Amino acid sequence: MLYAKKKTGLVFFPAFDWAIDPTHPEREERLLYTQDQVFEEGLFDIEGLTEFKPDPVTINDVNRIHFCVPDAWKVMTESHFISAGGAKTIGMAVLDKKVECGFALVRPPGHHAMRVVHGARGFCNVNIEAIMIEFLRAAYGIGKVAIVDTDCHHGDGTQDIYWHDPNTLFISIHQDGRTLYPGSGFTNELGGPNAVGTTLNIPLPPNTSDEGFLYAIENVVLPILDDFKPDIIINSAGQDNHYSDPITNMNFSARGYAELTSLLQADIAVLEGGYSIEGALPYVNTGIILAMAGLDYSNIREPDYDPDRIRQSSVVTAQIAEIGKIVLENWRNREKIEKQMKQGLKGKYSDRTRRIYYDTDGISEIQKERICICKDCGGALRIETSADTGAQALAVHIPIDACKICRNEGQRWFEEANSKDFHRAYLQNRPEDKYLEKNLSHK
Amino acid sequence: MIIGLDVGGTHTDVVLLDNHGLVNEIKVYTDSTDLFSTVLNGLRKITQDINPKLIKRVVLSTTLTTNFIVQGTLPEVGMIVSSGPGIDPMLFKTNGHYYPVSGSIDHRGRRVEAIDHDEVKSIGSKLRADGVRQLGIVGKFSARNPSHELEIRRILKGRFDDFFLGHRVSGNLNFQRRIATTYLNAAVYPIHKHFFQAVKKSLDQQGLKVPIHILKADGGTMNFESSIHFPGQTILSGPAASVMGATAYAPAEEDILVFDIGGTTTDMAILIDRAPLLDPVGIELGKYKTLIRALKTRSIGIGGDSVVRFKAGEIEIGPDRAGYAMAYGGTRPTPTDALAVMGKMTDCDRDKARKGLEPIASEMGISIEEAAQKIFDRTCCLILKAADKMVDQINSKPVYTVHELQEGYQVKPKKILVLGGPAPYFAEHLEKISEYTVTVIPSWKVANAIGAALARTTCEVTLFADTERGILTAPEEKFKKNISRDFTRDQAVQQAYELLKQKALQIGASSEDLEMEILEDQLFNMVRGFQTTGRNIRIKAQVKPGLIQRYKDVVEKLSLQSDS
Ligand SMILES: [Zn+2]
Ligand SMILES: [Zn+2]
């Protein structure tokens, strides 16, 4: 019999009856062969490995994070409630100390979903990690959180959500945005003026293999985590860095993923992408589960695994060392960079305007964002959003640790919203865990 | 007439039924060192003065295989396992003569690495030299493609007396459990075969030339001939006998809890619309996790003879037992003694029971009568708590579709059926302290033997279609067929029913007892690139556990008989 060295929780929710559309990579079949492998390997029989049934999240859980336009029911399906609920269930099991660590092997994924949601982008509607984290903050009072996103695509949704939060360290390791969707995630994206350095990006060149990933984890991610000292570490465990993935260009292996998991020692892992449903996922997931449970994974191997065929070039190795150096430098100089950034600002706000494209649903959005520059909290945040669906809304976020000034500012913004400019106004009052909505259209 | 016989730890119950109900019931003492005599003794007594020609069916539920496995006195057999990449197969080692070999098959049944013939031959020679006669052969994913198991057998043909192949034990995926199940089948094979051959011979000599059916852990039966190579299926048939006995009295279309309250344990099961709930994976017995189909049961170490202690301000019941209750000459206080003190049990020594409870009462600072009440109350509470936990566990079992998560069936029992020795004494109080309606099963003393007698033949088939590869296969049934691209789910369901019917009839079912149902029915479109390249269809069908049709009327008469 097999005994887990570390008590591990697992939510397996393959959503065998849900797809974006029948031939979409995010379809019913995606975790079928993973299920076969997990069953055949008898992973659920491991003593100390517990499978939990996911409890769907509530509307409040979603509204804590997202401004869904017009509302959560319109941008989510039942499957999203359950998938986010899977992450939340694992988070609770870990914080209730039922298990030491856990893995939400769920779909659909979430790391491309930003704070404002008009529809789906990058196969994601709502950010399942963020929903879990903010639930855990509200229910268990956890403070500092680190998210390490190892999906092949830049976790731009998670980055957006935590852009202004100095208490959440977001590190994304991904294929260079010049060669892959969503085209962002460069080393100079470091977070907003109140949170410089708690967003970090490690863009890796195409054809990076195990060596390069593990180098970045050991030499860049782990030292930064040591420095940041999070209460809890989350791994957005996308599996599309695999050498057989059909929509990316990396050369990571199942054993590499297991080693990464073992190095990172995340408290909670949440499945993100990964579309090599036969060649990679069955083996990668088996490897991750064994590694989380502290068990031997050295005999996990894809049928066509050939390390020589996928070995990275010396050029790639050198590039990765260079990128790692830049990221570490940015991290060490984050206070200096923040100071410089703030010096360049006039007044008490920082503004930016962005265009966001929802590729999965074909929606275009323009956001005008304003954050209060604040040294005492994450800063009140307002987003004026308009989309080509015709929706126009004001979204106001008061962070959980907000100072009095920022609380008042956020309240004022929300109250002053009028029907001339917006159809709807939303308020996320995190200190009071209250989520309000005003319907301003007089139709 | 039919005979049902259930071997228990202390007693063996035997019943004789005819179309009018219970003709006779007897109890004989179980001699666990000589089950053969026990069984024959029971059968001889129940058939006394009965014309053997009138007996049409004999169903036996024994502890034979269970005992051997629990005691760990299994004969040596050889195991050859072909794993390929994954968890180290040495971690699944069942016994001394256990050899992993090369060869690998993937989740869709495609060969990844071939079997090494020389390696297999040399292990075969080593096993033979060690005197091994029975050989188990198990491959990873053999439930999808058994060719490697068959190949190993071919290589070693003639060198061993009997072969046991992993893909024949179940259509379910679980390599480790497939290994354990195959091993148990191989290991208990000689004992099981010898035992039942002897029983059959002896019955023949008495002029009783009827097919012998053996009760399985899933509450169904199979004929002796079919059980020879799958003796593992007969383990833990005892609890199944009791539960099947309870189904005879269960109302239709309701969720029911069944408690079998014995001396050492209380066993619990759940009936839904008169059919027992099955375990989703398989029996766990001692250190073995298996793929053996079984009823979902929960056993707790609380029974009439459990030892009662007062510790740290709390009454503790069991889980150990130290012989009989003091009221029956034992040495340690028990819930039975509490019942004796309360005057509920009368055919025993009440003074001895009082003496037994005295130290506990004085420690608690209350009278012996009050202590008795408290002990009994606590016993009932613990049993109910365990039942709640079992129901919770069943309802929190993970599901894998949005539909099931939203609409999935939730078990909500409102009634309890109780059987076993002290059943009548418990029923009233269980009802008083809970929301349940509690009923004692009529003929509660021999309900287990009645359950065995009336259980129908059950089985399961798993069918797997892969239209991209053009394969339709049910390795457990030795079934494989080529199919075209346009093979449908309906065709798969039809095929599954056909295989199931064949199998059921072959292992002893009569055609009127084929209550078949689909347990799993999944279809996935396989998409490679952005093209649909095939369908992946998985069907699982079973003959539902239940009672035989011909004796349907008997059940009603049984209830009437016991009322009078
Ligand atoms: Zn991705
Ligand atoms: Zn502030």
Side-chain angles (χ1 to χ4, degrees), chain A residues 111-112 151-154 238-240 247-248 272-275:
Chain A
H111 76 145
H112 294 303
D151 189 277
C152 192
H153 301 92
H154 175 225
Q239 305 178 354
D240 38 11
I247 62 176
T248 62
E272 280 295 335
Y275 302 96

Side-chain angles (χ1 to χ4, degrees), chain A residues 250-382:
Chain A
M250 300 298 246
N251 279 333
F252 209 23
S253 74
R255 203 179 310 169
Y257 267 109
E259 258 166 71
L260 182 154
T261 306
S262 178
L263 283 172
L264 199 54
Q265 291 289 319
D267 300 287
I268 298 162
V270 178
L271 176 66
E272 280 295 335
Y275 302 96
S276 171
I277 62 175
E278 284 206 74
L281 267 57
Y283 311 100
V284 173
N285 282 310
T286 303
I288 289 179
I289 294 167
L290 289 175
M292 285 201 99
L295 294 168
D296 174 38
Y297 50 80
S298 58
N299 200 30
I300 302 296
R301 191 170 67 238
E302 304 83 339
D304 62 351
Y305 177 64
D306 176 3
D308 292 332
R309 190 167 56 82
I310 56 171
R311 186 156 288 137
Q312 72 192 32
S313 68
S314 55
V315 178
V316 166
T317 305
Q319 281 173 328
I320 294 172
E322 191 53 38
I323 293 158
K325 233 166 74 189
I326 296 168
V327 175
L328 280 174
E329 244 162 61
N330 284 339
W331 169 252
R332 288 181 191 128
N333 295 330
R334 61 192 182 280
E335 283 165 20
K336 213 161 86 193
I337 301 170
E338 183 171 322
K339 222 181 207 165
Q340 283 167 0
M341 199 189 271
K342 281 179 175 164
Q343 273 166 5
L345 292 167
K346 291 185 226 92
K348 54 176 189 166
Y349 304 117
S350 165
D351 296 335
R352 60 173 180 165
T353 301
R354 290 189 303 158
R355 214 172 254 286
I356 291 156
Y357 184 61
Y358 295 72
D359 57 304
T360 306
D361 280 350
I363 298 168
S364 286
E365 180 200 11
I366 293 176
Q367 285 188 9
K368 277 163 72 182
E369 187 194 278
R370 165 165 286 192
I371 180 106
C372 290
I373 305 297
C374 185
K375 59 183 194 319
D376 298 321
C377 76
L381 172 73
R382 67 176 273 153

Side-chain angles (χ1 to χ4, degrees), chain A residues 4-13 43-44 46-54 86-95 97-106 132 261 266-271 285 288-294, chain B residues 398:
Chain A
K5 297 214 171 63
K6 222 171 146 182
K7 273 172 82 181
T8 304
L10 195 65
V11 164
F12 182 53
F13 188 71
L43 297 187
F44 292 135
I46 295 173
E47 214 56 49
L49 192 136
T50 313
E51 190 187 8
F52 296 95
K53 185 180 188 173
K88 177 181 164 182
T89 301
I90 279 296
M92 290 171 73
V94 170
L95 286 173
K97 297 199 161 54
K98 284 184 193 161
V99 290
E100 290 165 75
C101 58
F103 182 19
L105 192 33
V106 297
M132 167 188 73
T261 306
D267 300 287
I268 298 162
V270 178
L271 176 66
N285 282 310
I288 289 179
I289 294 167
L290 289 175
M292 285 201 99

